[in-house]
Coordinates of all heavy atoms in Angstrom, one line a residue:
M1 N 0.8 -1.2 0.0 CA 0.0 0.0 0.0 C 0.9 1.3 0.0 O 0.4 2.3 -0.4 CB -0.9 0.0 1.2 CG -2.0 -1.0 1.1 SD -3.2 -1.1 2.4 CE -3.0 0.2 3.4
G2 N 2.1 1.2 0.4 CA 3.0 2.3 0.5 C 4.4 2.0 0.7 O 4.8 0.8 0.4
D3 N 5.2 2.9 1.1 CA 6.6 2.7 1.2 C 6.9 2.0 2.6 O 8.0 1.4 2.7 CB 7.4 4.0 1.2 CG 7.4 4.6 -0.2 OD1 7.1 3.8 -1.2 OD2 7.5 5.8 -0.3
S4 N 6.0 2.0 3.5 CA 6.3 1.4 4.8 C 6.2 -0.1 4.7 O 5.3 -0.7 4.0 CB 5.3 1.9 5.8 OG 5.4 3.3 6.0
F5 N 7.1 -0.8 5.4 CA 7.0 -2.2 5.5 C 7.5 -2.6 6.9 O 8.3 -1.8 7.5 CB 7.7 -2.9 4.4 CG 9.2 -2.7 4.4 CD1 10.1 -3.6 5.1 CD2 9.7 -1.6 3.7 CE1 11.4 -3.3 5.1 CE2 11.1 -1.4 3.7 CZ 12.0 -2.3 4.4
Y6 N 7.2 -3.8 7.3 CA 7.6 -4.3 8.6 C 8.5 -5.5 8.4 O 8.3 -6.3 7.5 CB 6.4 -4.7 9.5 CG 5.5 -3.5 9.7 CD1 4.4 -3.2 8.9 CD2 5.8 -2.6 10.8 CE1 3.6 -2.1 9.1 CE2 5.0 -1.5 11.0 CZ 3.9 -1.3 10.2 OH 3.1 -0.2 10.4
E7 N 9.5 -5.6 9.3 CA 10.4 -6.7 9.2 C 10.5 -7.4 10.5 O 10.6 -6.7 11.6 CB 11.8 -6.2 8.8 CG 12.9 -7.3 8.7 CD 14.2 -6.8 8.2 OE1 14.3 -5.6 8.0 OE2 15.2 -7.6 8.2
I8 N 10.3 -8.7 10.5 CA 10.4 -9.5 11.8 C 11.8 -9.7 12.2 O 12.6 -10.1 11.4 CB 9.6 -10.8 11.6 CG1 8.1 -10.5 11.3 CG2 9.8 -11.7 12.8 CD1 7.3 -11.7 10.9
D9 N 12.1 -9.4 13.4 CA 13.5 -9.6 13.9 C 13.6 -11.0 14.3 O 13.0 -11.5 15.3 CB 13.7 -8.7 15.2 CG 15.1 -8.8 15.7 OD1 15.8 -9.7 15.4 OD2 15.4 -7.9 16.6
V10 N 14.5 -11.7 13.6 CA 14.7 -13.2 13.8 C 15.2 -13.5 15.2 O 14.9 -14.6 15.7 CB 15.6 -13.8 12.7 CG1 17.0 -13.3 12.9 CG2 15.6 -15.3 12.7
N11 N 15.8 -12.5 15.8 CA 16.4 -12.7 17.2 C 15.3 -12.6 18.2 O 15.5 -12.9 19.4 CB 17.5 -11.7 17.4 CG 18.7 -11.9 16.5 OD1 19.1 -13.1 16.4 ND2 19.2 -10.9 15.9
R12 N 14.1 -12.1 17.9 CA 13.0 -11.9 18.8 C 11.8 -12.7 18.5 O 10.9 -12.9 19.4 CB 12.7 -10.4 19.0 CG 13.8 -9.5 19.4 CD 13.4 -8.1 19.7 NE 12.4 -8.1 20.8 CZ 12.6 -8.2 22.1 NH1 13.9 -8.4 22.5 NH2 11.7 -8.1 22.9
C13 N 11.7 -13.2 17.3 CA 10.6 -14.0 16.9 C 10.7 -15.5 17.4 O 11.7 -16.1 17.1 CB 10.4 -14.0 15.4 SG 9.0 -15.1 14.9
T14 N 9.8 -16.0 18.2 CA 9.8 -17.4 18.6 C 8.8 -18.2 17.9 O 8.5 -19.3 18.3 CB 9.5 -17.5 20.1 OG1 8.1 -17.0 20.3 CG2 10.4 -16.6 21.0
E15 N 8.3 -17.6 16.8 CA 7.1 -18.3 16.0 C 6.0 -18.5 17.0 O 5.2 -19.4 16.8 CB 7.6 -19.5 15.3 CG 8.7 -19.3 14.3 CD 9.2 -20.5 13.5 OE1 8.4 -21.5 13.5 OE2 10.3 -20.4 13.0
C16 N 5.9 -17.6 18.0 CA 4.9 -17.6 19.0 C 5.0 -18.8 20.0 O 4.1 -19.0 20.8 CB 3.5 -17.5 18.5 SG 3.1 -15.8 17.9
V17 N 6.0 -19.6 19.9 CA 6.2 -20.7 20.9 C 6.4 -20.0 22.3 O 7.1 -19.0 22.4 CB 7.5 -21.4 20.6 CG1 8.0 -22.3 21.7 CG2 7.3 -22.3 19.3
G18 N 5.6 -20.5 23.2 CA 5.6 -19.9 24.5 C 4.4 -19.1 24.8 O 4.0 -18.7 25.9
H19 N 3.7 -18.6 23.7 CA 2.6 -17.8 23.8 C 1.3 -18.4 23.2 O 0.3 -18.4 23.8 CB 2.8 -16.4 23.1 CG 3.8 -15.6 23.9 ND1 3.5 -14.9 25.0 CD2 5.1 -15.2 23.5 CE1 4.6 -14.2 25.4 NE2 5.5 -14.4 24.6
Y20 N 1.5 -18.9 21.9 CA 0.3 -19.4 21.2 C 0.7 -20.6 20.4 O 1.9 -20.9 20.2 CB -0.2 -18.3 20.2 CG -0.6 -17.0 20.9 CD1 0.3 -15.9 20.8 CD2 -1.8 -16.9 21.6 CE1 -0.1 -14.7 21.4 CE2 -2.1 -15.7 22.2 CZ -1.3 -14.6 22.1 OH -1.6 -13.5 22.7
D21 N -0.3 -21.4 20.0 CA -0.1 -22.6 19.3 C 0.4 -22.4 17.9 O 1.1 -23.2 17.3 CB -1.3 -23.5 19.3 CG -1.7 -24.0 20.6 OD1 -0.8 -24.1 21.5 OD2 -2.9 -24.3 20.9
T22 N 0.0 -21.3 17.3 CA 0.4 -21.0 15.9 C 0.9 -19.5 15.8 O 0.5 -18.7 16.7 CB -0.8 -21.1 14.9 OG1 -1.9 -20.3 15.4 CG2 -1.2 -22.6 14.9
P23 N 1.7 -19.2 14.9 CA 2.2 -17.8 14.7 C 1.0 -16.8 14.6 O 0.3 -16.8 13.6 CB 3.0 -17.8 13.5 CG 3.5 -19.2 13.4 CD 2.3 -20.0 13.9
T24 N 0.9 -15.9 15.5 CA -0.2 -15.0 15.6 C -0.2 -14.0 14.4 O -1.3 -13.7 13.8 CB -0.2 -14.2 16.9 OG1 -0.3 -15.1 18.0 CG2 -1.4 -13.3 17.0
C25 N 0.9 -13.6 14.0 CA 1.0 -12.6 12.9 C 0.4 -13.2 11.6 O -0.3 -12.6 10.8 CB 2.4 -12.1 12.7 SG 3.6 -13.3 12.4
Q26 N 0.7 -14.5 11.4 CA 0.1 -15.2 10.2 C -1.4 -15.3 10.3 O -2.1 -15.2 9.4 CB 0.8 -16.6 10.1 CG 2.2 -16.5 9.7 CD 2.8 -17.9 9.6 OE1 2.2 -18.9 10.0 NE2 4.0 -18.0 9.1
Q27 N -1.9 -15.5 11.6 CA -3.3 -15.7 11.8 C -4.1 -14.4 11.5 O -5.2 -14.4 11.0 CB -3.6 -16.1 13.2 CG -3.1 -17.5 13.6 CD -3.8 -18.6 12.8 OE1 -5.0 -18.5 12.8 NE2 -3.1 -19.5 12.3
V28 N -3.5 -13.2 11.9 CA -4.2 -12.0 11.8 C -4.0 -11.2 10.5 O -4.8 -10.4 10.1 CB -3.9 -11.0 13.0 CG1 -4.3 -11.7 14.3 CG2 -2.4 -10.6 13.0
C29 N -3.0 -11.6 9.8 CA -2.7 -10.9 8.5 C -3.8 -11.2 7.5 O -4.1 -12.4 7.3 CB -1.4 -11.3 7.9 SG -1.0 -10.5 6.4
P30 N -4.4 -10.2 6.9 CA -5.5 -10.5 6.0 C -5.1 -11.0 4.6 O -5.9 -11.5 3.8 CB -6.1 -9.1 5.8 CG -5.0 -8.1 6.0 CD -4.1 -8.8 7.0
I31 N -3.8 -11.1 4.3 CA -3.3 -11.5 3.1 C -2.6 -12.8 3.3 O -1.6 -12.9 4.1 CB -2.5 -10.5 2.3 CG1 -3.3 -9.2 2.2 CG2 -2.0 -11.0 1.0 CD1 -2.5 -8.0 1.7
D32 N -2.9 -13.9 2.6 CA -2.3 -15.2 2.7 C -0.9 -15.2 2.2 O -0.5 -14.5 1.3 CB -3.1 -16.3 2.0 CG -4.5 -16.5 2.6 OD1 -4.6 -16.2 3.8 OD2 -5.4 -17.0 1.9
N33 N -0.1 -16.0 2.9 CA 1.3 -16.3 2.4 C 2.2 -15.1 2.3 O 3.1 -15.0 1.4 CB 1.3 -17.1 1.1 CG 0.5 -18.3 1.2 OD1 0.6 -19.1 2.2 ND2 -0.3 -18.6 0.2
T34 N 2.0 -14.1 3.1 CA 2.9 -12.9 3.1 C 3.9 -13.0 4.3 O 4.9 -12.4 4.2 CB 2.1 -11.6 3.3 OG1 1.3 -11.7 4.4 CG2 1.2 -11.4 2.0
I35 N 3.5 -13.7 5.3 CA 4.5 -13.9 6.4 C 4.9 -15.3 6.4 O 4.2 -16.2 6.8 CB 3.8 -13.5 7.8 CG1 3.2 -12.1 7.7 CG2 4.8 -13.6 8.9 CD1 2.4 -11.7 8.9
I36 N 6.1 -15.5 6.0 CA 6.6 -16.9 5.8 C 7.9 -17.1 6.6 O 8.5 -16.2 7.0 CB 6.9 -17.1 4.3 CG1 8.0 -16.2 3.8 CG2 5.6 -17.1 3.5 CD1 8.5 -16.5 2.4
T37 N 8.2 -18.4 6.8 CA 9.4 -18.7 7.5 C 10.6 -18.5 6.6 O 10.6 -18.9 5.5 CB 9.4 -20.2 7.9 OG1 8.2 -20.4 8.7 CG2 10.6 -20.6 8.7
D38 N 11.6 -17.8 7.2 CA 12.8 -17.5 6.4 C 13.6 -18.8 6.3 O 14.0 -19.4 7.3 CB 13.6 -16.4 7.2 CG 14.9 -16.0 6.4 OD1 15.2 -16.7 5.4 OD2 15.4 -15.0 6.8
P39 N 13.8 -19.3 5.1 CA 14.6 -20.5 4.9 C 16.0 -20.5 5.4 O 16.6 -21.5 5.7 CB 14.5 -20.8 3.4 CG 14.2 -19.5 2.8 CD 13.4 -18.7 3.8
K40 N 16.5 -19.2 5.6 CA 17.9 -19.1 6.2 C 17.9 -19.2 7.7 O 19.0 -19.2 8.3 CB 18.4 -17.7 5.7 CG 18.6 -17.6 4.2 CD 19.2 -16.2 3.9 CE 19.2 -16.0 2.4 NZ 19.4 -14.6 2.0
H41 N 16.7 -19.2 8.3 CA 16.6 -19.2 9.8 C 15.6 -20.2 10.2 O 14.7 -19.9 11.0 CB 16.3 -17.8 10.3 CG 17.3 -16.8 10.0 ND1 17.2 -15.9 9.0 CD2 18.4 -16.5 10.7 CE1 18.3 -15.1 9.0 NE2 19.1 -15.5 10.0
I42 N 15.8 -21.4 9.8 CA 14.9 -22.5 10.3 C 15.3 -22.9 11.7 O 16.5 -23.2 12.0 CB 15.0 -23.7 9.4 CG1 14.6 -23.3 8.0 CG2 14.1 -24.9 9.9 CD1 13.1 -22.9 7.8
E43 N 14.4 -22.9 12.6 CA 14.7 -23.3 14.0 C 13.7 -24.3 14.5 O 12.5 -24.2 14.2 CB 14.6 -22.0 14.9 CG 15.5 -20.9 14.5 CD 15.3 -19.6 15.3 OE1 14.3 -19.0 15.0 OE2 16.1 -19.3 16.2
D44 N 14.2 -25.3 15.3 CA 13.3 -26.3 15.8 C 12.6 -25.8 17.0 O 13.0 -24.7 17.6 CB 14.0 -27.6 16.0 CG 15.1 -27.6 17.0 OD1 15.1 -26.6 17.8 OD2 15.9 -28.5 17.0
T45 N 11.6 -26.5 17.5 CA 10.8 -26.1 18.7 C 11.7 -25.9 19.9 O 11.5 -25.0 20.7 CB 9.7 -27.1 19.0 OG1 8.9 -27.2 17.8 CG2 8.8 -26.6 20.1
E46 N 12.7 -26.8 20.1 CA 13.5 -26.7 21.3 C 14.3 -25.3 21.2 O 14.4 -24.6 22.2 CB 14.5 -27.8 21.3 CG 15.4 -27.8 22.5 CD 16.4 -29.0 22.5 OE1 16.3 -29.9 21.7 OE2 17.2 -29.1 23.5
R47 N 14.8 -25.0 20.1 CA 15.6 -23.7 20.0 C 14.6 -22.5 20.2 O 15.0 -21.5 20.8 CB 16.2 -23.6 18.6 CG 16.8 -22.3 18.2 CD 18.0 -21.9 19.1 NE 18.4 -20.5 18.9 CZ 18.3 -19.6 19.8 NH1 18.0 -19.9 21.0 NH2 18.7 -18.3 19.5
L48 N 13.4 -22.6 19.7 CA 12.4 -21.5 19.9 C 12.1 -21.4 21.3 O 11.9 -20.3 21.8 CB 11.2 -21.8 19.0 CG 11.4 -21.7 17.5 CD1 10.3 -22.2 16.7 CD2 11.8 -20.3 17.1
W49 N 11.9 -22.5 22.0 CA 11.7 -22.5 23.5 C 12.8 -21.8 24.2 O 12.6 -21.0 25.1 CB 11.4 -23.9 24.0 CG 10.0 -24.2 24.1 CD1 9.3 -25.1 23.3 CD2 9.0 -23.7 25.0 NE1 8.0 -25.2 23.7 CE2 7.8 -24.3 24.7 CE3 9.0 -22.7 26.0 CZ2 6.6 -24.0 25.4 CZ3 7.9 -22.4 26.7 CH2 6.7 -23.0 26.4
E50 N 14.0 -22.2 23.8 CA 15.2 -21.5 24.5 C 15.2 -20.0 24.3 O 15.5 -19.3 25.2 CB 16.5 -22.2 23.9 CG 16.7 -23.6 24.3 CD 17.9 -24.2 23.6 OE1 18.5 -23.6 22.7 OE2 18.1 -25.4 23.9
K51 N 14.8 -19.6 23.1 CA 14.8 -18.2 22.8 C 13.7 -17.5 23.6 O 13.9 -16.4 24.2 CB 14.5 -17.9 21.3 CG 14.7 -16.5 20.9 CD 14.2 -16.2 19.5 CE 14.8 -17.1 18.4 NZ 14.4 -16.7 17.0
F52 N 12.5 -18.2 23.7 CA 11.4 -17.6 24.5 C 11.9 -17.4 26.0 O 11.7 -16.4 26.5 CB 10.2 -18.6 24.5 CG 9.2 -18.3 25.5 CD1 8.2 -17.3 25.3 CD2 9.1 -19.0 26.7 CE1 7.3 -17.0 26.2 CE2 8.1 -18.7 27.6 CZ 7.2 -17.7 27.4
V53 N 12.5 -18.4 26.5 CA 13.0 -18.3 27.9 C 14.0 -17.2 28.0 O 14.0 -16.4 29.0 CB 13.5 -19.7 28.4 CG1 14.2 -19.5 29.7 CG2 12.4 -20.7 28.5
S54 N 14.9 -17.1 27.1 CA 15.9 -16.1 27.1 C 15.3 -14.7 27.1 O 15.8 -13.8 27.8 CB 16.9 -16.3 25.9 OG 17.8 -15.2 25.8
L55 N 14.3 -14.5 26.2 CA 13.7 -13.2 26.1 C 12.9 -12.8 27.3 O 12.7 -11.6 27.6 CB 12.8 -13.2 24.8 CG 13.5 -13.2 23.5 CD1 12.5 -13.5 22.4 CD2 14.2 -11.9 23.2
H56 N 12.4 -13.8 28.0 CA 11.5 -13.5 29.1 C 12.1 -13.8 30.5 O 11.4 -13.7 31.5 CB 10.1 -14.3 28.9 CG 9.4 -13.8 27.7 ND1 8.6 -12.7 27.7 CD2 9.4 -14.3 26.4 CE1 8.1 -12.5 26.4 NE2 8.6 -13.5 25.7
H57 N 13.3 -14.1 30.5 CA 14.0 -14.5 31.8 C 14.2 -13.2 32.6 O 14.5 -12.2 32.1 CB 15.4 -15.0 31.5 CG 16.2 -15.2 32.8 ND1 15.9 -16.3 33.6 CD2 17.2 -14.6 33.3 CE1 16.7 -16.2 34.7 NE2 17.5 -15.2 34.5
T58 N 13.8 -13.3 33.8 CA 14.0 -12.2 34.7 C 14.8 -12.7 35.9 O 14.5 -13.7 36.5 CB 12.6 -11.6 35.3 OG1 11.9 -12.7 35.9 CG2 11.8 -11.0 34.2
S59 N 15.9 -12.0 36.2 CA 16.7 -12.4 37.3 C 16.1 -12.0 38.6 O 15.4 -11.0 38.7 CB 18.1 -11.8 37.2 OG 18.0 -10.4 37.1
S60 N 16.3 -12.8 39.7 CA 15.7 -12.4 41.0 C 16.8 -12.2 42.0 O 17.9 -12.3 41.8 CB 14.8 -13.6 41.4 OG 15.5 -14.8 41.5
Ligands
SF4_101 S1 3.5 -12.8 16.2 FE1 4.7 -14.6 16.8 S2 5.4 -15.5 14.8 FE2 4.8 -13.4 14.4 S3 6.6 -12.1 14.7 FE3 5.6 -12.1 16.6 S4 6.6 -13.8 17.8 FE4 7.0 -14.1 15.6

């Protein structure tokens, strides 16, 4: 629609592991097949869980 676009930060995206069963951005986007997995950054569920914990870890 314009010059603006959004880019998903691979270092912060967990494919919604830890929050939802499926990637929420894909669910809410009105256009199919626009938010896809980057073939250069394939991560298994274990790695995504580790990222989720790392992003949400709070020291006590
Ligand atoms: S909504 Fe989920 S899958 Fe989409 S960018 Fe955010 S963490 Fe990643």
Side-chain angles (χ1 to χ4, degrees):
M1 290 183 8
D3 292 335
S4 298
F5 65 91
Y6 298 93
E7 182 177 356
I8 295 171
D9 183 345
V10 69
N11 295 313
R12 299 188 59 78
C13 175
T14 64
E15 299 179 22
C16 286
V17 166
H19 290 287
Y20 302 102
D21 293 336
T22 57
T24 303
C25 55
Q26 292 177 350
Q27 295 291 316
V28 300
C29 182
I31 302 173
D32 291 339
N33 302 317
T34 55
I35 304 171
I36 60 172
T37 302
D38 183 347
K40 296 177 186 168
H41 294 98
I42 301 297
E43 299 172 288
D44 63 18
T45 302
E46 182 177 359
R47 170 67 189 116
L48 293 168
W49 264 110
E50 290 171 358
K51 190 189 307 185
F52 168 79
V53 170
S54 172
L55 288 168
H56 296 278
H57 174 74
T58 55
S59 57
S60 54

